Every structure is written in structure tokens, then in C-alpha cells.
Amino acid sequence: MKVETMTTESAGGSASTLPLARGAGKSIARTTIFVPGDAAALALGADAVVAAIAAEAARQGISLRLVRNGTRGMVWLEPLVEVATAQGRIAYGPVAAADVPGLFAAGFMTGGAHPKCLGPTDEIPWLARQQRLACRRIGVVDPRSLADYVARGGGEGLRRARAMAPAAIVDAVTGSGLRGRGGAAFPAGIKWRTVLAAPAAQKYIVCNADEGDSGTFSDRMLMEGDPYCLLEGMAIAGLAVGASQGYIYVRSEYPHAVAALDAALEDAGDFLGDFKLEVRKGAGSYVCGEETALLESLEGRRGIVRAKPPLPAISGLFGRPTVINNVITFASVPDILAQGAAAYRDLGCGRSRGTLPFQLAGNIKYGGLVEVPFGLSLRELLYDFGGGSRSGRPLRAVQVGGPLGAYLPAAQFDTLLDYEAFATIGAGLGHGGIVAFDDSVDLAQQARYAMKFCAIESCGKCTPCRIGSTRGVEVIDRIRAGDTRQIELLQELCETMTQGSLCAMGSMTPIPVISALRHFPEDFGDKRT
Amino acid sequence: MESLVTVAPIIEAHRLQPGALLPILHEIQDALGFIPPEAVPQIARELNLSRAEIHGVISYYAHFRLTPPGRHVVRVCCAEACQAVGAQALAEHARTRLAGSEFTLEPVYCLGLCACGPSLQIDETTLHAQVTPQKFDELIAALEAAA
């Protein structure tokens, strides 16, 4: 798989020269153009834009430097072309291949005015209002260039960690208040301390990059847009607990992320020191995002959930003490080490410290990645950032936290975005994915899908999940056919799954079902309320 | 057995790697488009596992296939974020359009393109976002024309 269409690689990065006009390119400073190589930008036609820029530059005999950066996360503006000017980076978007000759004519190489011009990228309000930490380099840095990563502050956390005792690194992470960003929100420092204290000759660092929740893409963006940040975070974890080997388990649905990580590792040189890292590809199993199923898969078996205890921190990969964290968790660590734990802890609210990269998805006008400290309201995210629905119809329901997350009605949009506030209303933030639906949504249909998805993806180890999900689909079908007496049965089934399942797949599938039933009874034909 | 000629060096390259099975299966499928059933005993022998264990792994994961796919594999995202913007109608349309064609149609549960759905993937290389039934037909027509 090749994401670049026509570039030749220069040493140390993906920046390339297009096409060298005769005699040019040596002394003349070439303008740098950024066109994202991020999967979302590619899906929206970024390669065609690159080809058009190359063709137009060739026609005019202009030499320029092209960087395939990550995305800034303003997905509705992709492909977002940026030009490095004396006034900083100027953005144009969304750019279609057909716009390119016009952009050249308008002098976009020097930031010239054009209907697609958005001004300085950093001043676009949607971006300027965010507070990016883990994601601050995505879209800015050249993901193929370690030198560029270091020039933008990368490597400082690892450098400091090398001078610290393992326990001091763990203390910094604990002190920052960082909690696992994969969804369970377990304090990262406590997990690391357990692994540090576990005596073993071999320990492992595993990155859970099996980002299977619909509505989430922050892990993908980071791996594609700033891979060295993840590598650095994992190397720091290695120093903290005494592990010399790490694995990044990436889902097979993310071939571009796999390629970006492989390329980064290939060019890493001695950046990671003695820490060895390997990228492993999943194979299309949602439940492998559950940490013990992931470990089974890494060991070469079916992704069947393990009973806990023992915790992976005590007996994880190949039976060894293992730190297993999400991409964003690891990516948050370098800055915590570089800036100090307090700077991170000072952001957020309650027991939710720091920032969370939220992902606005589904039927939303301005979708993309919004990294802000905890404590904003869901409404601010949906309307101030998201601009309401893409269809222009009223937003009726929002699913927060992936396929196992609750469906929330408009009446709950004022809930604050922090782990505890969401727990209070029987919901969760999960991995920060927010999927918006307009008023054409049928929540009984969505509840059925939640059960169906569980039936498809259940690993099959425990009965409530394996059988309960299929019975759930059948019961909802009967309810939708008009037999509302079955609602009580559905509630009991959900109770059984919640209490009796081995992992989150079975025990949390009832959350979208019950929340849909509670907040949208009319969709189930339920006249009782 | 031409396929076994491809398979042998792949197994050899990974045999001693911890947790070698998935990397081996991926590389075989990347090379041949599927995992030939006759490769299963060979993998089992080399990794000192039973054929049942290899088969169990292949059949567990949606990604792996034991039969050759169609000329192109079209994966339409059927997860919630795409559902919110018409994925179900797109999937229905795709089913009708590709019925009896040389293409393999599969559901996929999230491509990470959730702010620009409905989305689809062709042959694990090409991604498309904001796919309407009309755009779908254009994409398929272009693939058919490129025969």
C-alpha cells in the first residue's frame, strides 16, 4: 500500500521536491506545501489534490517541497492544504483537484486570497479554542521525519526519563492524574506501579491500538500523524517498569496507521535506545480491543477473553507482567515527563484530569477531533464545535463512548464531560467518541443493532454474551412487531448480561439498549410512560 | 502446489517469533489473497500446533479467508457513525448493485472515518468517504472499466 502518489523520498522524511525546474532547487528557498496523508483526507481525495499540485507546478516550472502531514482534525475541511509562508501556515480547504489551478493563479504559494482560503491555520476558531496536548503535533509535524519531531519538542520526555529512577517516572505519571484513555479510565500510574513492583526477568509494554469503537479515530490520527509520540510514550513506560520489549497491536482496518508506524520504526535509529518495538496487526475482531483478548491474539490464538484475576499487570503477555494502555494514554506521557505532572493535573475537573481528545462523528456538521480539558458540556461540543447536525434537522440522540455507550436525549446534553458526571447518568465517556443522530433515527433499531453487533463480535466464552445477544435481537424484533409485553423480558435479559458477562462486551451491550428504551420509549411502542 | 511454495518461506521467516501465527496468516493472505486450506497442515506442523488450532484461529477472525475473494473486495462500513448518515441505505444499494458481480462485498465495523461517513474501503488500499449510492455506482463502474 502506497499513500504517496508521486513523491520521491528525501533523507529523513517524506518531504519531496516537485519537479525540479532546470537549475533550480539548490539555492532558491522552496515553498513547503502540506497535504495530509491521513486516511480521512485520502478518503476525501487528498491524493488527487497532490497529483494536481504536482502537475500544475510542473506546468509552471515551479519547484516546491511537499509534506504529507497528518490531519488537523477538521474533517469537514479536508483535504486541507497548508502553505508555509512568512506569516506562518495558511490554510485552504476543502480543496478539490479542480481548485488547484485557481489556487496557483491566486498566488496561494504566498498565502494569496482565494474563496477557499481560511487564513492562518492556528487562528481558525474551531482549532484555536482547543487545548491540545496529546494531539498537539498531529497535522503540524511531518510524520515521516524524526528530526521534525525532535525540532517540535519531541524526545524531551524520554530524555528526562532516562535520568530518572523508574519509581520517579511512575510517580510523575501517577501525579499527573492520567487515566487510561481506552475507555476504562483506570489510573495509568497505578497500573505502571503494579508492573514495576512485579518481579520478572521479562516484562512487556503493549499498546492497545485496536480502536474499534465507531465514532472514534483519535488513535488512528495520532498513529498516522505523529507516530513518534506514541513510540516515545511506550519507551518511557519501558524505562518506568523495566520492560525492554513492546508491541503495538493495530487493527487490520487501519492499514495506513500500520504503514506509518512501520515507517517511523524503520527510521527511529537509536531514538528508542534499547527498547524494542514491533507492530502487530489485528484481524477484524472487535473484542480484541478488550485487553486480555488482545493479549491472546498477540500470542497467536483466537481473541478469547481471559478471566481476571490475574491482572495483565501481574500475568499478561506470555504470562509476564505487562503494561497495556491505549494509544492516547501513551501519547500523553512524553509531555507529562517534559512539562511536569502538575501542568497536566491542573487541567480538567474533579477526578478527570488533563484533556481528552473527543471525536465528533456521525450526523454532525463540523466533525473531527476536539481535544479539550474535561469539564465542557456535551452541548458545547455538539453545537459550539459541531455546529449541530449535518442534515440540518434537529439532533435527537447522541451515543457517547462507542457501541457500548449510552444513547443520550437532548435533555441530557448539558451533562459535563467528565468520567464521574457521565457515570452519574448511567453513561460513560469511553474513548471519547461522540456519534450524533438527527430526528430520523429509530432508537429501537439502534438498540437492535447493539445486540446484533454483540452477537457478531462476542468471543463466545461466556453464555450471557454469546446467547444473550442473539436472544436480545429476537426480543427486540418482537417488540418492534408490536408485542410490548416483551419489554420486561428485554430488561431482565439486559440485567442477566450486565451481571453475568465476563467482560465489557457482554456486560455493557445493555447500556445502549436500556438507555434507548429509557429515553426513547416511543420508538419501542411503549405507552407505559 | 504452487501456493505452498509461497507459504514455506513465510512460515520459515516467522517460525521463531513469539506469537507467530497471526503474522504468518497475514503474510500468506497478503501474498495470495486468501489462506489456502492445504497450507493449514503445513503451518500446524511448523508451529507444533494442531490443525484444529490453526483452523480455529483462521475462522475466528473476520479478516482471514480460506477461499479466494472476488476481483475486488468492497468493504462498506456498517457501524453507528456511518449509520447516522445513511450507511444502511448504502449497504442495501451495494448489495443490489454487486449481486452476481465479480466483486466481494463485506461489512466492516468502523474504518475510523466517522466524521465523513458513509465510508468504504476497496482492497485495503483505497478509502472513500461521504459515499452516496450515486458515488458508489461511479466507483464500481470505474473499477469495472479498468478490467
Side-chain angles (χ1 to χ4, degrees):
Chain A
M1 184 207 49
K2 193 74 180 141
V3 293
E4 291 175 69
T5 48
M6 32 40 79
T7 56
T8 50
E9 276 164 28
S10 60
S14 64
S16 59
T17 303
L18 290 180
L20 274 172
R22 220 169 304 142
K26 278 180 184 164
S27 54
I28 302 167
R30 284 171 284 125
T31 305
T32 302
I33 309 275
F34 299 85
V35 184
D38 174 272
L42 294 176
L44 290 162
D47 277 349
V49 172
V50 167
I53 290 175
E56 191 61 24
R59 203 178 65 77
Q60 300 192 19
I62 297 170
S63 166
L64 52 82
R65 181 174 167 269
L66 185 87
V67 172
R68 301 304 298 268
N69 56 334
T71 174
R72 296 281 194 146
M74 299 176 286
V75 177
W76 79 99
L77 293 176
E78 292 292 353
L80 182 88
V81 176
E82 290 180 83
V83 184
T85 72
Q87 295 79 44
R89 280 159 74 158
I90 307 294
Y92 296 82
V95 174
D99 294 325
V100 169
L103 285 170
F104 273 89
F108 89 121
M109 300 260 295
T110 49
H114 184 277
K116 291 278 171 86
C117 183
L118 303 158
T121 318
D122 292 334
E123 291 172 23
I124 297 173
W126 200 85
L127 207 51
R129 289 180 52 208
Q130 301 189 29
Q131 198 162 351
R132 288 195 174 180
L133 298 179
C135 301
R136 72 184 163 91
R137 244 182 256 101
I138 306 176
V140 177
V141 74
D142 177 355
R144 289 297 314 276
S145 169
L146 178 59
D148 197 20
Y149 177 71
V150 171
R152 294 175 195 279
E156 180 60 19
L158 182 56
R159 197 185 63 77
R160 291 197 182 200
R162 284 192 174 121
M164 293 163 74
I169 304 173
V170 172
D171 284 346
V173 173
T174 308
S176 73
L178 176 66
R179 292 163 70 176
R181 297 292 186 238
F186 188 80
I190 293 178
K191 194 182 275 190
W192 289 25
R193 180 168 298 149
T194 310
V195 178
L196 172 61
Q202 176 74 62
K203 300 178 186 179
Y204 294 104
I205 308 296
V206 172
C207 175
N208 183 345
D210 195 70
E211 187 178 49
D213 288 359
S214 176
T216 67
F217 44 84
S218 59
D219 295 353
R220 183 185 64 65
M221 271 181 59
L222 188 116
M223 291 186 282
E224 292 176 6
D226 191 15
Y228 286 107
C229 184
L230 172 59
L231 271 43
E232 183 181 348
M234 292 182 73
I236 293 170
L239 289 173
V241 304
S244 57
Q245 172 74 49
Y247 292 94
I248 308 174
Y249 184 93
V250 189
R251 58 203 299 265
S252 57
E253 292 86 345
Y254 282 2
H256 297 84
V258 172
L261 291 169
D262 280 339
L265 276 176
E266 200 162 303
D267 295 340
D270 59 0
F271 177 64
L272 299 176
D274 297 331
F275 187 68
K276 300 278 178 292
L277 253 180
E278 208 181 297
V279 178
R280 288 288 179 94
K281 225 161 93 175
S285 163
Y286 175 77
V287 83
C288 284
E290 196 282 335
E291 59 183 9
T292 62
L294 188 154
L295 295 175
E296 285 289 309
S297 185
L298 262 183
E299 292 183 16
R301 287 188 290 275
R302 299 186 293 155
I304 306 282
V305 172
R306 295 177 186 170
K308 288 191 271 194
L311 295 168
I314 305 292
S315 176
L317 187 63
F318 303 114
R320 307 293 177 203
T322 302
V323 167
I324 176 164
N325 278 132
N326 167 259
V327 174
I328 298 297
T329 315
F330 283 124
S332 300
V333 169
D335 270 3
I336 289 171
L337 270 288
Q339 319 287 336
Y344 195 84
R345 191 188 54 223
D346 288 349
L347 297 169
C349 66
R351 288 175 49 223
S352 304
R353 311 313 309 176
T355 58
L356 187 67
F358 292 96
Q359 300 122 89
L360 281 173
N363 198 329
I364 196 89
K365 195 171 180 187
Y366 305 126
L369 182 125
V370 181
E371 183 174 358
V372 285
F374 292 94
L376 230 62
S377 75
L378 181 58
R379 186 180 302 281
E380 286 172 281
L381 212 48
L382 291 170
Y383 292 96
D384 296 356
F385 281 96
S389 74
R390 194 203 292 177
S391 62
R393 302 169 67 101
L395 290 180
R396 179 161 182 249
V398 170
Q399 188 180 27
V400 181
L404 309 176
Y407 283 101
L408 306 179
Q412 292 186 325
F413 286 177
D414 289 313
T415 310
L416 293 189
L417 296 161
D418 82 65
Y419 293 123
E420 278 66 43
F422 263 65
T424 314
I425 60 163
L429 291 179
H431 183 49
I434 294 176
V435 178
F437 293 81
D438 72 10
D439 62 355
S440 64
V441 67
D442 173 353
L443 269 301
Q445 172 67 36
Q446 295 308 122
R448 182 188 192 276
Y449 172 79
M451 286 291 192
K452 181 78 189 164
F453 184 68
C454 182
I456 294 169
E457 297 294 342
S458 173
C459 82
K461 182 159 180 168
C462 70
T463 314
C465 177
R466 183 183 69 246
I467 306 290
S469 51
T470 296
R471 294 290 95 86
V473 173
E474 295 164 359
V475 172
I476 295 173
D477 279 344
R478 289 200 288 273
I479 295 168
R480 296 181 76 210
D483 186 359
T484 50
R485 290 170 310 170
Q486 299 273 328
I487 287 176
E488 202 175 327
L489 188 62
L490 178 63
Q491 285 163 332
E492 282 181 23
L493 176 67
C494 284
E495 182 67 18
T496 303
M497 290 176 71
T498 304
Q499 301 299 331
S501 299
L502 197 53
C503 83
M505 179 91 234
S507 69
M508 289 173 68
T509 288
I511 293 176
V513 177
I514 292 296
S515 59
L517 193 56
R518 181 180 302 145
H519 302 303
F520 306 92
E522 62 276 21
D523 287 19
F524 294 78
D526 189 359
K527 312 271 192 306
R528 295 178 304 174
T529 48
Chain B
M1 286 290 185
E2 197 190 330
S3 59
L4 294 185
V5 176
T6 312
V7 167
I10 293 175
I11 301 174
E12 187 50 37
H14 291 283
R15 209 166 51 86
L16 299 177
Q17 193 178 11
L21 186 52
L22 263 74
I24 287 173
L25 295 175
H26 270 299
E27 210 170 317
I28 293 172
Q29 182 158 310
D30 288 349
L32 300 171
F34 70 111
I35 297 155
E38 62 267 26
V40 172
Q42 195 184 1
I43 303 168
R45 198 167 49 242
E46 295 294 324
L47 295 186
N48 199 21
L49 294 168
S50 71
R51 278 180 296 159
E53 283 169 301
I54 310 295
H55 181 79
V57 168
I58 295 171
S59 56
Y60 180 83
Y61 293 99
H63 180 82
F64 296 129
R65 60 178 88 243
L66 286 160
T67 52
R71 194 150 62 87
H72 294 288
V73 178
V74 180
R75 291 194 176 97
V76 176
C77 179
C78 292
E80 292 92 334
C82 284
Q83 288 170 15
V85 283
Q88 235 173 339
L90 176 66
E92 285 299 325
H93 176 82
R95 237 190 305 278
T96 312
R97 175 65 182 79
L98 296 183
S101 78
E102 297 175 86
F103 294 9
T104 298
L105 178 67
E106 291 178 348
V108 64
Y109 296 93
C110 197
L111 294 164
L113 307 174
C114 315
C116 49
S119 59
L120 62 81
Q121 184 194 49
I122 298 170
D123 298 335
E124 290 181 61
T125 49
T126 316
L127 297 167
H128 296 279
Q130 295 175 353
V131 182
T132 57
Q134 189 199 339
K135 185 172 168 185
F136 182 84
D137 289 348
E138 290 166 12
L139 291 171
I140 298 303
L143 287 174
E144 285 172 336

